């Protein structure tokens, strides 16, 4: 039920904190209180709708209670919001974000693609951007797809520069990719990846870029790639990915797994929807290297000749 201002003012005082409250739990509690106030609901009403005790809800609101996922889901339903809103999803951080999310919710992939392209055009300079984008060819896909081998051949034939982005990242960091992750963590790796990609885009108007397989996992970096480069997904069967990586004498990143093939399949399934955003896809399992390169060469020359 909706509450009056007087009822909201009479809510119980915060429970005594036990020890130091975790910042995440404090922020979570603040979001619950804010959402409850926005809906005009008393703590008692929310507790009843969520089927939890009022004391349990009070502990949650003041960051002293570590609720289970199911309890959080019940509280979210009682507050008529998504669980993501309680957890602090950035798209719930302002009224504009919420309204934009509402417009995009339940849209199909084609609609979402058009929306992304429209936003990209809105916030970036028009003009020769599309033409220049077609002279920066970025190859995406898992390790073992053939990005380095085919990319180098393509660059040589077009007379373009060739960049293997992983090597550029290592030069910026002064250590290997594995060492970046082990010593500094994923966030640091993404910063190096961003820096290497930005420099490649700024320096080379004509270039073929072989990208790391996980670049699509970072939305900001992938958006930058899509905006400035004509992207091609070099697609292959899991068995071919595994065989090619093994032939190179390197099982990274599956080396420590006893179920390497299953790990690879899960990675491919998780990334495939992002790889599919590419402008073009080439199946490198459909034929030998010469056949695959011939198809890649034909498609790219067509794109370069027509400026997209």
């Amino acid at each position: 039920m909706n509450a009056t201002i007087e009822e909201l003012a009479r809510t119980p005082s915060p429970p005594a904190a036990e020890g130091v409250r975790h910042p995440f739990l404090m922020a979570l509690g603040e979001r619950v209180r804010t959402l409850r106030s926005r809906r005009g609901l008393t703590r008692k009403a929310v507790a009843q709708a969520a089927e939890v005790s009022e004391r349990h809800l009070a502990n949650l609101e003041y960051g002293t209670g570590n609720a289970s996922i199911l309890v959080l889901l019940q509280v979210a339903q009682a507050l008529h919001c998504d669980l993501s809103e309680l957890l602090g999803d950035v798209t719930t951080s302002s009224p504009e974000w919420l309204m934009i999310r509402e417009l995009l919710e339940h849209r199909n992939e084609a609609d979402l693609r058009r929306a992304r392209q429209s936003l990209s055009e809105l916030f970036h300079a028009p003009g020769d951007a599309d033409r220049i984008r077609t002279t920066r060819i970025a190859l995406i896909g898992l390790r073992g797809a053939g990005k380095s081998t085919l990319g180098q051949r393509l660059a040589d034939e077009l007379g373009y520069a060739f960049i293997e982005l992983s090597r550029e990242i290592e030069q910026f960091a002064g250590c290997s990719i594995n060492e970046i992750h082990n010593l500094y963590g994923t966030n640091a790796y993404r910063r190096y990846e961003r820096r290497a990609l930005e420099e490649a885009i700024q320096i080379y108007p004509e270039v073929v870029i072989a990208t790391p397989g996980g670049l699509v996992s970072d939305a900001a970096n992938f958006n930058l790639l899509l905006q400035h480069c004509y992207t091609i997904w070099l697609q292959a069967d899991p068995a071919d990915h595994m065989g090619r990586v093994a032939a190179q004498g390197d099982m990274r990143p599956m080396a420590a797994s006893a179920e390497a093939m299953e790990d690879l399949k899960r990675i491919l399934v998780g990334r495939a929807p992002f790889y599919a955003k590419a402008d073009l896809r080439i199946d490198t399992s459909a034929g030998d290297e010469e056949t695959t390169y011939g198809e890649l060469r034909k498609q790219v020359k067509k794109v370069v000749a027509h400026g997209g």
Side-chain angles (χ1 to χ4, degrees):
M1 65 178 181
N2 289 334
T4 64
I5 295 176
E6 290 79 10
E7 287 174 314
L8 289 171
R10 289 199 301 269
T11 54
S13 58
E18 297 178 1
V20 178
R21 292 182 292 171
H22 193 284
F24 175 80
L25 294 179
M26 293 172 64
L28 172 63
E30 179 63 30
R31 284 190 291 272
V32 173
R33 290 200 305 275
T34 298
L35 285 165
R36 182 166 62 77
S37 297
R38 187 186 300 168
R39 303 290 192 269
L41 298 170
T42 64
R43 186 179 292 141
K44 182 177 181 179
V46 173
Q48 288 177 342
E51 298 181 347
V52 298
S53 71
E54 192 172 350
R55 173 55 59 184
H56 192 65
L57 182 60
N59 288 337
L60 174 62
E61 289 193 356
Y62 288 99
T64 60
N66 191 357
S68 70
I69 289 294
L70 287 178
V71 167
L72 290 178
L73 180 60
Q74 290 166 211
V75 171
Q77 290 170 342
L79 291 170
H80 309 292
C81 70
D82 290 335
L83 181 59
S84 60
E85 194 161 358
L86 286 190
L87 296 178
D89 182 351
V90 67
T91 62
T92 68
S93 61
S94 74
E96 290 296 343
W97 262 121
L98 286 168
M99 293 171 71
I100 291 170
R101 194 181 72 173
E102 179 68 23
L103 287 172
L104 296 179
E105 200 166 16
H106 307 307
R107 301 288 180 178
N108 59 36
E109 283 294 308
D111 287 342
L112 292 174
R113 183 185 180 96
R114 285 197 296 273
R116 176 178 58 78
Q117 290 172 337
S118 296
L119 287 171
S120 181
E121 292 170 5
L122 175 64
F123 292 114
H124 297 94
D128 292 335
D130 286 340
R131 182 188 63 78
I132 294 174
R133 191 176 75 91
T134 60
T135 61
R136 294 193 191 98
I137 310 297
L139 305 180
I140 65 175
L142 283 184
R143 256 178 90 76
K147 293 173 292 184
S148 297
T149 302
L150 297 175
Q152 182 68 71
R153 289 185 63 176
L154 182 64
D156 291 343
E157 181 159 345
L158 293 173
Y160 288 4
F162 175 69
I163 290 179
E164 196 163 2
L165 208 62
S166 291
R167 304 289 79 80
E168 299 300 311
I169 293 169
E170 289 177 334
Q171 287 188 18
F172 279 127
C175 58
S176 70
I177 299 294
N178 278 347
E179 288 172 327
I180 297 172
H181 283 290
N182 293 337
L183 294 173
Y184 309 115
T186 300
N187 289 340
Y189 171 79
R190 293 300 175 199
R191 289 195 296 271
Y192 285 121
E193 183 179 68
R194 176 81 176 198
R195 181 179 171 188
L197 180 57
E198 286 176 337
E199 183 163 299
I201 291 169
Q202 291 167 3
I203 293 176
Y204 300 103
E206 297 180 341
V207 64
V208 176
I209 305 173
T211 67
L215 184 142
V216 299
S217 302
D218 185 272
N221 290 350
F222 191 37
N223 274 332
L224 182 67
L225 189 79
L226 292 173
Q227 180 193 341
H228 291 281
C229 302
Y230 186 86
T231 52
I232 302 173
W233 177 16
L234 297 186
Q235 188 176 14
D237 295 333
D240 284 337
H241 279 295
M242 184 66 77
R244 293 167 186 170
V245 171
Q248 298 168 7
D250 185 356
M251 293 298 288
R252 187 186 53 167
M254 285 74 68
S257 174
E259 302 172 340
M261 181 59 77
E262 290 305 311
D263 287 347
L264 187 145
K265 288 179 179 178
R266 280 193 289 270
I267 292 171
L268 185 56
V269 167
R271 292 178 183 173
F274 296 92
Y275 290 144
K277 301 298 180 187
D279 298 288
L280 176 70
R281 70 176 68 181
I282 299 289
D283 186 354
T284 66
S285 292
D288 59 19
E289 182 181 321
E290 288 304 319
T291 302
T292 301
Y293 178 69
E295 180 63 20
L296 175 64
R297 173 181 176 275
K298 180 179 73 174
Q299 295 295 338
V300 169
K301 287 204 167 187
K302 188 187 303 181
V303 169
V304 172
H306 291 87

